[in-house]
Amino acid sequence: MSRATAMARIPRLKICGLTRREDLLCAVREGADALGLVFFPPSPRYVDLRAAAALANAVPPFVTIVGLFVNADPALVRATLAALPIHLLQFHGDEDEGYCRQFDRPYIKAARVRPGLDLVQYAARFPSAQAILLDAFVEGYGGGGKIFDWALVPQSLGKPLILSGGLDADNVGEAVRRVRPAAVDVSSGVEAGKGIKDVEKIRAFVAALRAAGSESSDG
Ligand SMILES: O=C(O)c1ccccc1NCC(=O)[C@H](O)[C@H](O)COP(=O)(O)O
């Protein structure tokens, strides 16, 4: 099934790198389907277990909490899963499928897109992944606010595609029309500063996403 057929609705939205309760509540209010918490200490959006627990406690039912890790010690992942209601894992480093599967939880695998990386072959290496998230190849593994060449995205990855990397209210419409992802993921493009989300940028992003999604679903 082509993505054009598969994307029969407005793409779902993940807002990542939440660190403040007010930003999380804004993301939920504006319609985010998923909320990303970054458990990668070098990230300026890193939250420890205590802060993450307070954020998770504010999430209403039917909104997915995504726990994001980069080449993490499995013991850290297990401790996080034991302490928090993480619904979906996101592995954003160099993890292989054996590593990702060991936690017996649904996960999405991020691919850091660069010329020469065969994305169909990459996706085939993670048959147990719920989806493949395509992000730009940036220093620090992710959250870089950089787009990649969307022409590199194949017609189908063989599983749901989440488009990420440098999206904002100005480009998400074109991104959705060109790539037709099942979902989009954004962090920098809705921020006033690293880890500090901006209400108006979130609202503008959601409006642009809905406009593009309704165009596409109208055919
Ligand atoms: O958000 C981070 O700081 C981060 C750090 C290291 C690895 C991944 C990270 N974020 C993962 C995400 O899912 C981001 O939303 C994605 O990379 C897009 O970020 P942006 O280009 O800033 O929208």
Side-chain angles (χ1 to χ4, degrees):
M1 176 190 291
S2 74
R3 280 204 309 282
T5 306
M7 203 198 91
R9 61 179 307 283
I10 294 171
R12 297 195 184 281
L13 170 60
K14 171 181 166 252
I15 295 180
C16 196
L18 292 158
T19 63
R20 303 189 309 175
R21 180 185 171 93
E22 60 264 42
D23 295 346
L24 180 147
L25 295 175
C26 171
V28 170
R29 189 171 55 242
E30 298 302 324
D33 300 286
L35 309 168
L37 302 179
V38 175
F39 297 105
F40 179 53
S43 166
R45 305 177 182 98
Y46 169 72
V47 285
D48 64 17
L49 286 182
R50 183 186 179 90
L55 291 169
N57 192 42
V59 178
F62 308 120
V63 177
T64 300
I65 301 173
V66 180
L68 187 146
F69 298 89
V70 178
N71 302 328
D73 181 334
L76 169 66
V77 179
R78 294 190 196 285
T80 306
L81 290 172
L84 300 175
I86 301 292
H87 307 123
L88 181 64
L89 292 166
Q90 178 176 325
F91 296 117
H92 216 98
D94 310 304
E95 304 88 353
D96 63 17
E97 200 207 20
Y99 173 97
C100 297
R101 290 184 61 175
Q102 68 180 297
F103 306 104
D104 294 321
R105 294 293 186 93
Y107 72 91
I108 54 182
K109 182 65 186 78
R112 300 159 69 215
V113 179
R114 54 213 181 270
L117 177 64
D118 183 324
L119 291 173
V120 173
Q121 277 185 4
Y122 187 94
R125 285 167 35 201
F126 297 92
S128 58
Q130 300 279 307
I132 298 294
L133 182 145
L134 301 184
D135 194 4
F137 189 95
V138 296
E139 193 176 333
Y141 284 94
K146 305 287 186 201
I147 63 172
F148 63 89
D149 181 1
W150 299 326
L152 294 173
V153 181
Q155 186 57 36
S156 172
L157 283 180
K159 58 177 61 211
L161 183 159
I162 302 168
L163 183 64
S164 179
L167 297 179
D168 60 29
D170 295 328
N171 65 24
V172 68
E174 180 190 358
V176 166
R177 284 188 290 274
R178 287 179 56 183
V179 177
R180 293 180 179 267
V184 297
D185 164 72
V186 64
S187 193
S188 303
V190 293
E191 287 183 335
K194 295 281 188 187
I196 307 300
K197 304 311 183 188
D198 179 292
V199 172
E200 292 311 317
K201 288 187 176 182
I202 291 175
R203 285 179 178 153
F205 188 92
V206 170
L209 178 63
R210 285 179 174 155
S214 55
E215 280 171 27
S216 302
S217 54
D218 290 347

